Amino acid sequence: MALDLKIKTNQKQLSKKLGKFQTRLSRIIDKGVKQAGFQLLDIIRTKTAKGIDARDVPFAQYSESYTKQLQREGKPLKVDLFYSGRMLGSLSSRKTGKHKTSLGFTNAQMRQRALFNQVLNEPKREFFGFNDRTEKIISKQFNRFVEKELRKFRI
């Protein structure tokens, strides 16, 4: 007694669909990473406007001479690193590679000003950065975005 068995597979279709899924997943991750960069940018600007550094500690007070200068010019005395708005205005997020985004300053003069505030000045006002709490917030938002986009696939 002979048994003849023929199996027909859809391997080509499955392979093609898997390739499309990988391509779309890569695009979704890139889009999520871009959103994460813009979210971090927003968090940095918001914290700085509130006078809080990257570690959630209030900024050190301005020097007495700088405070007098601000008073003469009619500027607010709150320590928020906002004089003309140009430094934080030149802060931007851009894609730098596959699944990578970078935050930086688009203007060289504002980059120097930020370096002064962040590193060179005493006391330091470290506004450019993030802590574990901020990382968790951004990570959670990224995961939500990717999950939402993957639900659209109806796999």
Side-chain angles (χ1 to χ4, degrees), residues 16 22 26 68 81 95 100 135-136 147:
K16 187 176 176 182
Q22 287 176 327
S26 182
K68 287 179 182 177
L81 304 182
K95 184 179 181 215
K100 291 183 183 179
E135 184 178 5
K136 286 177 186 174
E147 286 173 8

Side-chain angles (χ1 to χ4, degrees), residues 8 14 16 34 40 42-44 54 62-63 69 75 78 80 85 87 91-92 95 116 125 133 145:
K8 194 173 183 181
L14 194 58
K16 187 176 176 182
K34 282 182 189 177
L40 179 58
D42 184 51
I43 289 170
I44 289 172
Y62 289 136
S63 68
Q69 178 187 343
K75 304 264 184 190
K78 181 182 177 192
D80 59 3
M87 182 181 74
L91 186 58
S92 69
K95 184 179 181 215
F116 178 77
R125 296 181 182 93
R133 182 174 173 254
F145 172 76

